[in-house]
Amino acid sequence: MTEVSYAVVIPTIGRPGLANLVKAVDGDPAPSCIVVADDRRAATSELDLPQTAAPLLVVHTGGRGPAAARNAGWQAADAEWPEDKWIAFLDDDVVVPVDWCRRLVNDLKDLPDNVAASQAWISVPVPEGRRPTDVERRTLGLNGASWITADMAYRRTALVETGGFDERFPRAFREDADLALRTVRNGYAIAWGERVTTHPLASSTNWRNGLIDSLTDQAGNADNALMRAKYGRRWRSLIGTTPGRTGRHLITSAAAITAVVACAPKHPGRISTVLAATASLVWAGLTAEFAAGRILAGPRTLPEISSMVVTSLLIPPLAVGHRLRGELRVRSAHRASSVKPRAVLFDRDGTLIKDVPYLADPRRVQPVPGARRTLNQLRRQGIAVGVVSNQSGVARGLINPDELARVNARVESLLGPFDTWQVCPHAPDAHCTCRKPEPGMVTAAARELGLTPSECLLIGDIGSDVDAALAAGARAVLVPTRDTKVDEIHHAHVVAAVAPNLRTAVRRHIGRS
Ligand SMILES: [Mg+2]
Ligand SMILES: [Zn+2]
């Protein structure tokens, strides 16, 4: 049997089953670690966690949603145990069998390299002796559903390649299908394991909560807008989900508005009257059809029926509103990212020239391959170019200012003129506002060029370059070198972008002239 090394990552909002779940996954063959990503918005108390044999790590994500929590979890595991081959994600409300570890390892041990993930069968118990309520039917939809991260293990390498979960999905909706789809599109397969994990039947405690749950669920329509933006009109069939009701909700809402508007004049004419009557009929018909479908599928008790009537009236406009909100957000994000940068700021050491620690000798300046050509291409396109460079060697007394000036002059003689030079000579413990990851040099460069930071793109080779750019409101691309830390690459995948070299970074983010 091949050795299977794995970490377990559990995002949690502090649900009561967490302690038992952690105990259950602390089994044999043991995980290298168990990471609990505490995603409670206000974590006022410690999580109730048992003693474990495997190392237990808690990371705090402050309510950024399951996608961000799972990313923080697997990246924390990866930073400490980079030799792990698999990351097993579990939701904090599932119940796993007592020998889950053995079953997981059985599922993973013989998978060929092209299989990037293994998913469990999710079983949701059906209520006995009655039809499930609307809220229960949504959980029952998980039964045998594919690509559910309630219990799914991913290869670490596949997560690094995709950058993990897309944190623009703020709730437990679509984020798992999105990651699976990107993994498949990267040429991997996803396998079914044999392990079975139980997901409890979500039931609302009372009538009012059930009603509120039905309505708040509509926020997911905003995530559908992001899916459509990412994958086009066919996104539903790509992730194997059934057609939605968005079209019908839109007609229902439009009919309601038409009916109200047509009735508005004091003395409505014949046309308005006919229009109002027709629109009312369309609205009533669609609403009745929607409500009837939901009532007939359910237990048909009085509270459930009244809840279905009320929510069937409210859901169409809510769904349309959330979808609209999602579409607007996607569009404004797209506009922001399609503003073509008017300046590209470069880190110096490790990005434009080979990194020689505390370089004081101009003869040792050696540009990285393609740097000159990339810079010239930008200059031809009329895009300003600049340098933002930490040079703490000056404060440390390892480089004198003359040497620094001669090295920078040599950089210009080899790579051509720069429109702005920003250099921080301070030591890290001086806590200046210019040393990256502080934003000072990026804002100063933008100001000198007469631009806003959002019109600048920064290219660097380490995490503090990316962080400085984002802190200033600029965009960033990480071009890693051999010395770049793996977790900084992961982080850049999520918050910025990563490119293999300068030429590709510029082609992707500026385009050709
Ligand atoms: Mg550097
Ligand atoms: Zn400084």
Side-chain angles (χ1 to χ4, degrees):
M1 165 175 145
T2 29
E3 191 68 36
V4 172
S5 55
Y6 70 102
V8 178
V9 171
I10 308 172
T12 184
I13 47 172
R15 285 189 275 215
L18 177 66
N20 279 335
L21 181 63
V22 169
K23 243 183 264 170
V25 302
D26 186 29
D28 185 54
S32 66
C33 66
I34 302 167
V35 184
V36 172
D38 182 358
D39 197 41
R40 292 174 299 168
R41 207 170 290 271
T44 44
S45 57
E46 287 293 302
L47 284 169
D48 171 31
L49 292 169
Q51 290 287 334
T52 54
L56 181 63
L57 211 69
V58 178
V59 294
H60 297 273
T61 46
R64 290 191 292 129
R70 289 194 198 104
N71 277 346
W74 75 262
Q75 285 160 7
D78 193 36
E80 299 256 347
W81 290 273
E83 67 284 351
D84 274 341
K85 292 207 172 54
W86 293 91
I87 309 279
F89 294 105
L90 283 172
D91 281 354
D92 70 343
D93 55 350
V94 300
V95 179
V96 298
V98 282
D99 55 349
W100 179 82
C101 296
R102 191 180 54 73
R103 287 167 189 263
L104 174 75
V105 168
N106 264 332
D107 284 344
L108 299 181
K109 66 175 194 245
D110 294 322
L111 289 178
D113 286 345
N114 73 315
V115 175
S118 162
Q119 58 180 119
W121 290 92
I122 304 295
S123 153
V124 187
V126 180
E128 268 176 53
R130 62 168 173 86
R131 284 173 229 261
T133 63
D134 182 57
V135 173
E136 289 168 342
R137 286 199 300 278
R138 259 165 294 156
T139 319
L140 283 169
L142 296 175
N143 250 328
S146 50
W147 298 353
I148 302 293
T149 4
D151 181 344
M152 189 156 172
Y154 271 92
R155 263 186 216 282
R156 189 187 72 88
T157 45
L159 291 173
V160 172
E161 277 176 42
T162 51
F165 290 90
D166 184 337
E167 298 186 7
R168 289 176 294 173
F169 292 99
R171 65 203 117 239
F173 192 61
R174 304 292 184 217
E175 86 294 356
D176 41 12
D178 167 74
L179 175 60
L181 182 53
R182 282 184 290 126
T183 303
V184 169
R185 288 191 156 189
N186 275 3
Y188 291 108
I190 293 176
W192 284 100
E194 285 176 13
R195 64 193 187 283
V196 178
T197 286
T198 308
H199 192 293
L201 191 61
S203 50
S204 306
T205 41
N206 59 40
W207 184 82
R208 190 172 146 271
N209 289 349
L211 199 139
I212 291 171
D213 286 349
S214 295
L215 298 179
T216 47
D217 259 21
Q218 298 306 315
N221 282 286
D223 309 313
N224 290 345
L226 182 53
M227 289 299 282
R228 192 199 139 109
K230 293 183 79 166
Y231 303 111
R233 281 221 311 257
R234 288 180 53 244
W235 69 269
R236 280 182 187 271
S237 69
L238 291 175
I239 65 166
T241 189
T242 49
R245 274 195 74 102
T246 316
R248 269 174 290 179
H249 285 332
L250 188 61
I251 298 171
T252 310
S253 308
I257 293 171
T258 309
V260 170
V261 170
C263 286
K266 269 207 182 102
H267 309 286
R270 237 190 93 180
I271 295 178
S272 323
T273 313
V274 171
L275 192 61
T278 315
S280 304
L281 274 176
V282 169
W283 171 81
L286 281 169
T287 304
E289 180 246 349
F290 182 43
R294 298 172 72 220
I295 290 167
L296 291 178
R300 303 177 200 171
T301 56
L302 189 61
E304 177 75 3
I305 292 174
S306 47
S307 167
M308 290 305 97
V309 170
V310 175
T311 52
S312 297
L313 290 168
L314 295 175
I315 283 175
L318 256 179
V320 170
H322 280 297
R323 179 62 186 253
L324 202 62
R325 180 171 64 82
E327 293 288 348
L328 289 174
R329 195 174 52 197
V330 164
R331 273 171 182 64
S332 77
H334 180 75
R335 254 199 314 280
S337 70
S338 61
V339 173
K340 192 165 152 181
R342 297 177 62 194
V344 181
L345 307 175
F346 293 87
D347 165 55
R348 196 193 77 179
D349 302 330
T351 302
L352 285 175
I353 65 172
K354 292 268 162 66
D355 194 3
V356 178
Y358 307 119
L359 176 59
D361 180 356
R363 287 169 306 180
R364 296 184 64 195
V365 172
Q366 196 193 344
V368 305
R372 169 104 208 187
R373 209 168 56 176
T374 303
L375 285 161
N376 281 343
Q377 185 201 333
L378 289 168
R379 292 180 183 116
R380 273 199 308 277
Q381 287 176 252
I383 290 168
V385 292
V387 179
V388 287
S389 180
N390 285 354
Q391 294 298 333
S392 64
V394 176
R396 294 175 213 258
L398 300 167
I399 315 168
N400 70 45
D402 281 350
E403 288 167 334
L404 179 61
R406 277 201 295 276
V407 169
N408 286 347
R410 179 70 180 152
V411 171
E412 282 213 324
S413 78
L414 289 168
L415 293 177
F418 288 90
D419 302 293
T420 176
W421 274 91
Q422 305 295 331
V423 177
C424 165
H426 310 119
D429 58 13
H431 302 294
C432 62
T433 56
C434 38
R435 183 177 164 83
K436 295 176 283 186
E438 294 300 321
M441 288 196 287
V442 179
T443 44
R447 202 180 313 122
E448 195 176 315
L449 297 169
L451 302 172
T452 62
S454 62
E455 294 173 300
C456 300
L457 175 76
L458 187 143
I459 303 180
D461 67 320
I462 61 171
S464 64
D465 295 315
V466 171
D467 292 343
L470 299 185
R475 278 191 281 155
V477 185
L478 184 77
V479 176
T481 66
R482 262 207 314 256
D483 302 325
T484 311
K485 292 187 185 121
V486 164
D487 60 322
E488 295 181 349
I489 302 176
H490 297 164
H491 187 63
H493 263 301
V494 174
V495 299
V498 178
N501 53 50
L502 291 180
R503 201 159 66 103
T504 312
V506 165
R507 179 167 49 75
R508 281 187 198 157
H509 298 274
I510 309 281
R512 290 178 238 266
S513 52

